[in-house]
Amino acid sequence: MTPEFFALLAALLAVVVGAARPLGRFFGWIMDGRPAWGPLARLEDGLLRLCGVRRVEMSWRAYAVALIVFSLLGTLLLYALQRLQGWLPLNPQQFGAVSPDSSFNTAISFVTNTDWQGYAGESSMSNLTQMMGLAVQNFLSAASGIAVAFALIRGFARHSAHDIGNFWVDLYRITAYALLPLSLLLAVALVSQGVIQNFAADMPVTTLQATSYTTPKLDAAGQAVRQTVTVAQQTLPMGPVASQEAIKQLGTNGGGFFNANSAHPYENPNALSDFLEMVAVLLIPAALVYTFGLAVGDTRQGWVLLAAMMLVFAVAVTGLAAAEQQGNPAIAALGVNQAHGVLQSGGNMEGKETRFGIAASALFDAVTTTTSCGAVNAMIDSFTPLGGLVPMALMQLGEVVFGGVGSGLAGMLVFALVAVFVGGLMIGRTPEYVGKKVEAFDMKMVSIAVLLMPALVLLGTALAVVVPAGLAGPANPGAHGFSEIFYAFTSAANNNGSAFAGLSANTPFYNGWLGVAMLLGRFGVMVPTLALAGSLAAKKRIPAGGGTLPTHGPLFISLLIGVLLLVGALNFFPAWGLGPIVEQLQLWT
Amino acid sequence: MDGLWIALILALDAAMLGLVWFCDRLLHRN
């Protein structure tokens, strides 16, 4: 590892922690529903009235049904938009309809905040689909995630209550007061760094040098032959990139305008844009943790969760950077210099941009997999096996270390309940957390929320490695091919959306099954989380006693991290053994 | 083909509404 890596990590965490308090207070204001500045308040009232929304509190059931129905309508609309884009305006590239299975996958992907992309955006989606479909869902799916976190926070903060807020009011206030202004600021900052924002058709340019390459084709007799193709022109894709890039990062969405995502120079041109994009990803998940502490009347409870998240993240990203900086022994055997120096990053640079190097690539990809963002500025398929294991494992912890906007905090609170439950078992007392007794129903909901994701990942992977349609996907044989499939289902069920890149996933099999995993992985966890919120809100608040496990100190941080790692390892260690671990052993023996 | 994929979307969301009902039943039995 290099000094650049540690400097970048320290700067990133300093900015994120520094912003957590003021932004957390701001989210607290949004959550409390306090009136906005005059004209904005009138706009809020007018728009909500226009949509027929009454400002009444909802039970957890009504909140969950509103969330599911709203997401269903969004899914159907996005499906239709993709299928009809050939007849709709803002399509300068004249793209035809997206295939039915890809439309299904993409519609669920963006509505569930996953943003898994089986397609290449610049060669399949019109500007209208990108803006009215994908970018809109980037806002709404992020707002839905934060709304669920608000509901759970209210569950902890309220006592003897039947309601947990109003979904529609939360959705509006989160979008209008947080996501839109923050995205506007970030989009302008990204444009200043060279990210493009236009409605132009793709631009053909003549290259300085003609490029020749060979490609396979069938001859007249149907025999496979190779032909040489010479290209002297290149097409530069255009479009409204910066506006989508901003919410892609802030909303932990991750779906790139371009197939190469944040490795593309029009999405992420330089080191500063890279840093801004990383900060944007962590900003809201960190702030919401402070909002939680504020709402339960003890900000230490929030700082403890943030400390646990930062510790796990810092150790994981350091491991990732170390694995990548070590380089590839097969390449070293060819006499290639992989040492870090003034003129090169050193290490394993396959699949990485030279403008980012090892440090910024490792950090970016850890940031976007510890959250449910899933954007990439390097190709994870080309990471060393242990380097690739880190993003995979970060997702498999349940996307709770920072996690998705809202869903990450909700997931971490679920694990906090597991931790106090384990602590309670140790000392033989009914577990309590921030003044709420954790009882049988709560643990049933926690169990569904914690166990559904591993079931989806492991069953999905098992299916794909035994049926021909699944085995046709991976580009590599053996352990690496297994990792490609395993990573895809991990990414889908955790609503991350990043890909190992070696998997040909735009097929009816993968589009279908990954779509199922994304939808169940999102709402199958959110529904029990909201039920938990309803149950907690109805409880009385009990004062801490002599037998209460303190949840605001280092002991609880250790217990929480221990539970988190133990659950993750118990679920996934055998599968790690079949994929990245055996591949690492093969590489170094 | 569109009908198949739309039906799958509807079925998955209906299953989630079923999960709401299931959790609610559990809560009331508690």
Side-chain angles (χ1 to χ4, degrees):
Chain A
M1 283 164 302
T2 59
E4 291 95 317
F5 167 75
F6 288 111
L8 201 52
L9 176 61
L12 178 66
L13 292 181
V15 172
V16 169
V17 172
R21 188 185 162 99
L23 197 58
R25 282 184 170 279
F26 181 60
F27 272 103
W29 173 83
I30 292 174
M31 185 175 74
D32 290 346
R34 277 172 273 164
W37 172 61
L40 290 179
R42 282 193 288 279
L43 183 67
E44 179 184 330
D45 284 341
L47 283 174
L48 288 175
R49 207 175 303 126
L50 192 69
C51 296
V53 173
R54 288 185 301 126
R55 286 179 179 274
V56 289
E57 290 276 317
M58 291 174 159
S59 68
W60 82 264
R61 287 180 310 280
Y63 205 97
V65 169
L67 167 75
I68 293 167
V69 171
F70 178 70
S71 301
L72 169 64
L73 294 176
T75 311
L76 294 174
L77 194 65
L78 186 48
Y79 182 92
L81 203 53
Q82 293 173 86
R83 295 290 291 142
L84 300 172
Q85 69 174 8
W87 290 277
L88 296 172
L90 279 178
N91 186 8
Q93 294 90 349
Q94 298 184 320
F95 291 135
V98 179
S99 70
D101 55 300
S102 181
S103 299
F104 166 83
N105 183 282
T106 306
I108 291 180
S109 176
F110 277 74
V111 168
T112 57
N113 199 247
T114 311
D115 294 27
W116 168 271
Q117 294 170 294
Y119 61 91
E122 64 269 43
S123 58
S124 47
M125 297 294 179
S126 72
N127 286 345
L128 186 78
T129 308
Q130 293 266 20
M131 291 175 66
M132 293 283 293
L134 307 184
V136 165
Q137 283 305 329
N138 279 351
F139 281 96
L140 298 179
S141 65
S144 300
I146 298 172
V148 170
F150 278 5
L152 186 57
I153 292 173
R154 290 186 187 114
F156 281 108
R158 293 179 178 180
H159 52 91
S160 309
H162 295 290
D163 304 315
I164 56 170
N166 182 303
F167 175 74
W168 307 110
V169 175
D170 286 343
L171 193 74
Y172 176 86
R173 288 176 64 89
I174 293 161
T175 309
Y177 301 142
L179 297 179
L180 277 170
L182 286 172
S183 297
L184 183 64
L185 286 175
L186 183 61
V188 170
L190 291 174
V191 166
S192 77
Q193 294 305 302
V195 177
I196 62 170
Q197 178 75 16
N198 61 47
F199 292 97
D202 292 352
M203 188 185 295
V205 292
T206 303
T207 54
L208 291 174
Q209 187 180 7
T211 304
S212 296
Y213 60 92
T214 58
T215 181
K217 72 161 197 172
L218 296 177
D219 65 10
Q223 297 295 314
V225 294
R226 299 187 78 81
Q227 65 170 346
T228 301
V229 179
T230 301
V231 179
Q233 275 213 328
Q234 188 182 353
T235 303
L236 298 182
M238 295 284 125
V241 179
S243 54
Q244 187 156 325
E245 189 69 15
I247 188 61
K248 167 196 145 191
Q249 299 298 105
L250 277 165
T252 61
N253 290 285
F257 195 95
F258 301 114
N259 194 30
N261 212 287
S262 286
H264 196 294
Y266 286 171
E267 281 199 25
N268 188 10
N270 57 39
L272 182 56
S273 65
D274 195 66
F275 186 75
L276 288 173
E277 290 188 12
M278 285 194 284
V279 169
V281 173
L282 294 178
L283 213 52
I284 296 176
L288 287 174
V289 179
Y290 186 82
T291 309
F292 164 71
L294 211 57
V296 297
D298 183 359
T299 51
R300 292 174 304 174
Q301 303 287 350
W303 289 122
V304 157
L305 298 182
L306 191 58
M309 290 176 177
M310 291 201 325
L311 271 172
V312 174
F313 170 71
V315 171
V317 71
T318 304
L320 171 54
E324 293 308 297
Q325 197 66 59
Q326 195 173 16
N328 185 331
I331 295 177
L334 298 172
V336 176
N337 178 8
Q338 295 184 88
H340 171 259
V342 179
L343 295 177
Q344 64 174 22
S345 295
N348 171 36
M349 278 300 291
E350 182 193 305
K352 296 186 182 66
E353 294 290 303
T354 49
R355 67 185 188 280
F356 301 136
I358 299 287
S361 299
L363 202 53
F364 192 97
D365 286 281
V367 163
T368 59
T369 47
T370 198
T371 62
S372 73
C373 180
V376 290
N377 74 352
M379 297 303 109
I380 301 172
D381 195 41
S382 293
F383 280 13
T384 59
L386 282 190
L389 172 61
V390 172
M392 199 186 292
L394 282 171
M395 289 189 284
Q396 287 163 347
L397 293 180
E399 292 291 25
V400 299
V401 179
F402 292 106
V405 284
S407 57
L409 171 66
M412 194 52 140
L413 289 171
V414 164
F415 270 99
L417 294 183
V418 178
V420 294
F421 181 72
V422 170
L425 285 180
M426 287 176 182
I427 57 173
R429 282 182 60 101
T430 304
E432 301 159 18
Y433 186 58
V434 291
K436 294 294 174 86
K437 266 188 180 170
V438 183
E439 295 168 304
F441 172 80
D442 308 315
M443 289 315 294
K444 286 175 191 166
M445 295 301 104
V446 165
S447 302
I448 297 174
V450 169
L451 295 175
L452 182 65
M453 179 276 289
L456 290 170
V457 173
L458 296 173
L459 290 174
T461 306
L463 176 71
V465 296
V466 294
V467 300
L471 290 168
N476 299 81
H480 197 75
F482 176 83
S483 292
E484 288 170 356
I485 295 173
F486 186 35
Y487 193 100
F489 279 95
T490 298
S491 179
N494 284 287
N495 300 135
N496 181 277
S498 67
F500 231 42
L503 188 74
S504 298
N506 198 3
T507 62
F509 175 84
Y510 280 108
N511 279 333
W513 284 108
L514 291 174
V516 170
M518 286 187 274
L519 194 142
L520 298 183
R522 175 79 166 177
F523 301 112
V525 173
M526 281 183 165
V527 168
T529 302
L530 288 171
L532 188 61
S535 163
L536 291 168
K539 293 177 198 275
K540 288 180 183 150
R541 176 166 281 202
I542 48 170
T548 303
L549 177 73
T551 54
H552 56 263
L555 175 68
F556 186 68
I557 295 176
S558 316
L559 184 62
L560 183 57
I561 292 176
V563 164
L564 198 57
L565 298 182
L566 196 64
V567 171
L570 286 173
N571 282 326
F572 293 108
F573 197 84
W576 295 342
L578 293 172
I581 292 177
V582 74
E583 196 187 352
Q584 181 78 8
L585 294 173
Q586 287 169 338
L587 189 67
W588 286 90
T589 50
Chain B
M1 283 302 281
D2 285 314
L4 175 76
W5 294 107
I6 290 170
L8 188 52
I9 292 170
L10 293 173
L12 288 167
D13 281 274
M16 290 302 97
L17 291 174
L19 184 60
V20 174
W21 173 83
F22 173 72
C23 293
D24 195 42
R25 293 271 298 177
L26 277 183
L27 183 57
H28 282 107
R29 273 188 200 171
N30 195 41

